[in-house]
Amino acid sequence: MKLFDLTGRLALVTGSSKGIGLAIAKGLAQAGASIVLNGRDHTALEAARSDLAATGADVYAVSFDVTDAAAVAEAVERIETEIGPIEILFNNAGMQHRAPLQDFPLDAWERLKATNIDSVFFVGQAVARKMIARGHGKIINIASVQSELARPGIAPYTATKGAVKMLTKGMATDWARFGLQVNAIGPGYFVTELNAALVTDPEFSGWLERRTPAGRWGTVDELAGAAVFLASDASSFINGHILYVDGGITSSL
């Protein structure tokens, strides 16, 4: 199991005060990694840090806006100087907005692009520069089944997650020769706060259970194995890959 051991490695997980980001951080910590949690809500971030530290994890909280390039650059420098070299990056920060495409608000479109695409570029580039100088590093972006499939009311979100898929492939193409592995996880439908309205909608949940070969929603802890795999030496020759963790929904009509 040494291939999956992350002991002594520092992982930055953006958008990790709750939901998928926090579940990934917990999985990495269980594999031995030290964790830097990130988010904009200071109270929620400190609560997450305290809870994770109570399990024995070596964990830090650094609040910065991932959609602000200058703030990202400053934060990455601070982490590298005060905590340690970032060897693993999970670009998890993201948002959703549901509305008919013909009525989709412009401000929501701009927020989606900034949160779901700009952040991946800003944080990925800032961290990659450090990794390239060291000759190794792991970057894992959070894509989605919507990187491949569309649904009514979320066309702009689908566009952003398609962009994350292709940015992942582009990062791998540019940076693999420097010793980096850049991949993505594409979650299916998971029980999270972001999906709360869908989880409690009997019609949608019924449709999803029939549509998904596994016949159910995912739970966020089921992302930990994929996260550890892509962050570890076990994936040393995997680059530009999108690992869908979706109960089979992208495999079945």
Side-chain angles (χ1 to χ4, degrees):
M1 298 300 292
K2 186 177 179 182
L3 278 174
F4 299 93
D5 185 9
L6 301 179
T7 301
R9 303 182 192 184
L10 183 66
L12 168 60
V13 186
T14 68
S16 50
S17 62
K18 59 185 177 182
I20 286 174
L22 184 55
I24 285 172
K26 289 178 178 177
L28 299 176
Q30 288 170 358
S34 297
I35 307 297
V36 177
L37 299 176
N38 158 262
R40 288 184 290 189
D41 184 331
H42 296 270
T43 302
L45 191 61
E46 178 54 31
R49 188 208 64 77
S50 180
D51 287 347
L52 191 51
T55 68
D58 182 32
V59 57
Y60 307 84
V62 180
S63 181
F64 61 93
D65 184 353
V66 294
T67 69
D68 181 332
V72 167
E74 188 277 332
V76 169
E77 285 293 339
R78 181 155 42 98
I79 292 167
E80 291 259 340
T81 300
E82 298 177 6
I83 301 174
I86 301 167
E87 297 190 68
I88 302 163
L89 167 64
F90 273 83
N91 275 312
N92 169 74
M95 66 167 289
Q96 174 66 283
H97 187 97
R98 296 181 175 89
L101 184 56
Q102 66 273 20
D103 301 320
F104 206 89
L106 181 58
D107 61 338
W109 167 248
E110 296 296 339
R111 288 197 306 273
L112 274 171
K113 289 192 297 179
T115 306
N116 295 357
I117 306 174
D118 288 354
S119 68
V120 176
F121 176 78
F122 294 157
V123 185
Q125 185 186 62
V127 172
R129 285 170 173 159
K130 302 293 186 181
M131 292 177 169
I132 288 168
R134 292 188 285 264
H136 63 90
K138 299 277 190 172
I139 296 176
I140 301 95
N141 302 322
I142 301 301
S144 169
V145 292
Q146 268 79 47
S147 297
E148 302 290 345
L149 305 170
R151 274 194 54 76
I154 59 167
Y157 177 83
T158 300
T160 65
K161 288 303 184 178
V164 170
K165 178 182 81 168
M166 294 312 299
L167 185 53
T168 299
K169 292 177 180 292
M171 287 175 167
T173 300
D174 277 15
W175 297 338
R177 66 182 180 273
F178 298 114
L180 279 60
Q181 287 89 54
V182 186
N183 296 289
I185 293 174
Y189 285 86
F190 283 77
V191 179
T192 65
E193 291 183 21
L194 195 68
N195 285 329
L198 300 179
V199 174
T200 57
D201 181 344
E203 183 178 355
F204 185 88
S205 280
W207 169 84
L208 179 67
E209 289 165 6
R210 293 189 299 272
R211 173 68 178 81
T212 305
R216 62 176 177 85
W217 288 83
T219 60
V220 290
D221 59 301
E222 291 179 293
L223 291 163
V228 170
F229 168 62
L230 290 177
S232 72
D233 292 342
S235 57
S236 61
F237 199 56
I238 297 175
N239 242 316
H241 180 69
I242 317 300
L243 175 55
Y244 290 100
V245 184
D246 63 359
I249 199 168
T250 54
S251 299
S252 174
L253 286 174

